[in-house]
Amino acid sequence: MALQFEVVAKCSKSKARAAIMKLPRGPVSTPVFMPVGTQASLKGLTPQQLKDLGCEIFLNNTYHLGLRPGQEVLDKVGGAHEFQNWDRNILTDSGGFQMVSLLKLATITEDGVTFLSPHDNSPMLLTPEHSISLQNSIGSDIMMQLDDVVHTMTTGPRVEEAMWRSIRWLDRCIKANKHPDKQNLFAIIQGGLDLDLRVKCCAEMAARDTPGIAIGGLSGGEDKHQYCQVVSKCTDNLPENKPRYCMGVGYAEDLVVSVALGADMFDCVFPTRTARFGSALTKFGSINLRNAKYRDDSSPIEEGCGCLACKENIPKSYFHLSVGKDTVPAHLLTLHNTYYQLNLMRSVRQSIIDDKFEDFVNEFFSNLYPSKTYPDWAVQALKGVNIDLH
Amino acid sequence: MFTPKSCAWQTRAGILHINGTDITTPNFIVGTARLAIPHLTPDHANQPPLAAVYAEDTWDKGGLVSACLNRSTLPLSSPLLLGAVRNPEMRPLKNKPNTDSAIAISTSQGSQMASMKDVSEFMNKLNPDIVVIPYDFPAQSPNSSSVGKNRVVKMTSRSLKWAKELYNSRPKESAFVAVTLPPQLQTSEYLNEVNTLCNSYCFNDGCETMTRLAADSAAPDASKLRISMFNSGKLSDVINDIAAGIDLVNVPLTQYADKGYALTVSFKNPGADKGFLNLYDDEFIADTSLLHNSGFMKGYIHHLLEAREMTAHVILQLHNTEILKQLFNEIQESITEGTFSTQAEKFKQAYETL
Ligand SMILES: [Zn+2]
């Protein structure tokens, strides 16, 4: 196992915890948000800029890298780190989720996921072995198992079938991993919104003793109450000494509440995708700089923000003028939004270490909702872990 | 302050002192789009020696967008040259002619009129290192030679009026004020008048005009800084401008990155290759060699271009900036060593296509 997980502080009220996850290419402080560089680059940022933001780990997508540059090139250059000149950690997904969500014609059998090649429409099969082989070629520090993904809102026997199949596929992935000494394979908990299935799956996955465990099959449009119930049920049933990864979660409120429920790792394309449409994330919510009211606004995106754009006081008016037309405002907004996410998690972490997480959560929500009419799902979820929003 | 090593109308080296920095000449200027050098955020250490900013970029239907105009909060870190319009002769504005007090500009929201008061506000808010004063040019003319006699008279008086107005309202710190000398305005009357206003000249067709002026006994003060803003964009013409005695020349940096080109040109040893690598070419798919000092494999940049990832253009823009800086260093050296004209010929032959 090439991962050590050391919990350095626990919130005295909620299930939140701060830890250090030691990986082959340096330590990662958790809770952590991981930006997504789908095709081995984070939307116009250089690896140095990503480092300067304090990013210790980011995502690449196996499906995309498998198509381009392809496994052969990855093997030749010695993996994705060398390829993109990034010497910190990389996490890769299995490629399965991307196929099911991007390719409508994907079908799932015990062998794997069958899909039509986007190149020539010929049928292709992604097996657990093939996914791990690709991730071995990428050389990611954390790999995800291929899982049987069902849509979050699916009910009935298909959910249980997918859960058991995901467990069998984990065994095949573990067996296929050529580099368990340097590449950490994470299991993914399935079971839909059925809490009993989730508990069963947690036990099965924990028994396989992978370096970390993800909570999958969420953030697909389910009710937020249900999302919180599943996360909380899983963290109750997962080992204390392993990182817990909520896949595809990235809205600030979801991050803060999920940390309270005991999750450690998150990823989402939202902060960088929304940047390209002119949206900036701030502690008072997201603002769209294309809005006419910013034409004559000479103040920076967010006072006190430590990103390049705000430190240099580049005015909102500039973004209003140029966003959607030029690349520089897009890069600056990507820097800002990525900084916002990483800094949010750094603040969350510090508050846990100082045992002031409850105060932090209250300040965070009151900035976001000045009228203090908080969303019920957040109030209930936080109440469940002894945090009162007041 | 500008200190040329020669005052003749010929190739020369010099030093430009602006804003506390020394820029050795000949050197290059890169055009911005809406206040930024395309692809380059200001945190990158490798920035062009000079950036050209245009007033027409900061206009919308409501007029000048002045809230974004503040020298210290621009997404730019290079010294600034500022103009009202990119090219006063390239504007499709038949139904919106210039007036005595305003110039027609093309903005992202259509044609607008920018009064000299607006242009002055733009200039004062940005406090540039070099100001290029706009001149009047009739919108209807398909080319400069067809400007009628009467129109030339109006063009002269209007351009002088604008020059005086903008000169008088210039920001105090602006070290350089340049007037442009299109063929129609190269009369002794005009030259004498603007000679007292400006300390530098801007040329539309650097090479041609300069050659003509060199042969003219009534030529303007040759010790002044000479700028070429509207060359063809070919590197051979950039070299021709320098040969004619241009100190600062506009270079179409961004077009190379946008085409996927990594420049490899050299003035000292031209011709080892065609002057650029087209990283879109499939030959780079599995190329693990690094692109010069960029730190990135050519195969990776190829991948980013194919995947339409914007980081490709950032890396190429940084690389090409460095190569052009190196090119101009070599040009400066060759002028000092007296080898410029022979090297220039070799350069033009080697890089015909660029
Ligand atoms: Zn910021």
Side-chain angles (χ1 to χ4, degrees), chain A residues 39-41 43-45 47 49 68 76-77 83-85 295-296 298 308 313-315 317-318 325-328 331, chain B residues 34 37 39 41 43-44 60 62-65 67-68 73 75 286 288 295-296 300 303-304 306-307 309 311 314:
Chain A
Q39 314 204 70
S41 123
K43 301 298 163 207
L45 305 198
Q49 286 178 312
R68 188 166 43 210
K76 189 181 174 216
V77 304
F83 187 57
Q84 62 201 297
N85 197 16
R295 180 192 183 269
D296 301 314
S298 59
L308 174 73
N313 282 309
I314 296 171
S317 174
Y318 163 71
K325 301 189 182 96
D326 302 316
T327 53
V328 167
H331 300 341
Chain B
R34 281 167 287 270
I37 292 170
H39 315 312
T41 48
D43 53 325
H44 293 296
D60 66 10
L64 181 63
V65 184
C68 62
T73 65
T288 57
F296 296 98
Y300 176 59
H303 158 79
L304 294 177
E306 288 286 318
E309 285 285 339
T311 310
V314 176

Side-chain angles (χ1 to χ4, degrees), chain A residues 7 9 22 98 113 187-188 192 198 224 343 349-350 374:
Chain A
V7 176
K22 289 183 182 155
Q98 305 263 329
V113 185
I188 303 175
R198 289 278 178 177
K224 291 252 179 134
N343 195 54
R349 185 173 195 272
Q350 194 55 49
Y374 302 127

Side-chain angles (χ1 to χ4, degrees), chain A residues 305 307 310 336:
Chain A
C305 169
C307 87
C310 298
H336 170 86

Side-chain angles (χ1 to χ4, degrees), chain A residues 307-350:
Chain A
C307 87
L308 174 73
C310 298
K311 264 194 319 200
E312 300 280 327
N313 282 309
I314 296 171
K316 294 193 194 81
S317 174
Y318 163 71
F319 291 96
H320 179 76
L321 182 77
S322 61
V323 101
K325 301 189 182 96
D326 302 316
T327 53
V328 167
H331 300 341
L332 290 169
L333 279 175
T334 300
L335 282 168
H336 170 86
N337 284 355
T338 306
Y339 179 90
Y340 173 84
Q341 297 285 110
L342 296 178
N343 195 54
L344 172 67
M345 298 314 267
R346 285 192 284 259
S347 309
V348 164
R349 185 173 195 272
Q350 194 55 49

Side-chain angles (χ1 to χ4, degrees), chain A residues 122-137:
Chain A
S122 61
M124 295 176 71
L125 178 68
L126 179 74
T127 62
E129 291 76 16
H130 185 211
S131 168
I132 294 301
S133 166
L134 270 171
Q135 296 186 70
N136 279 152
S137 291

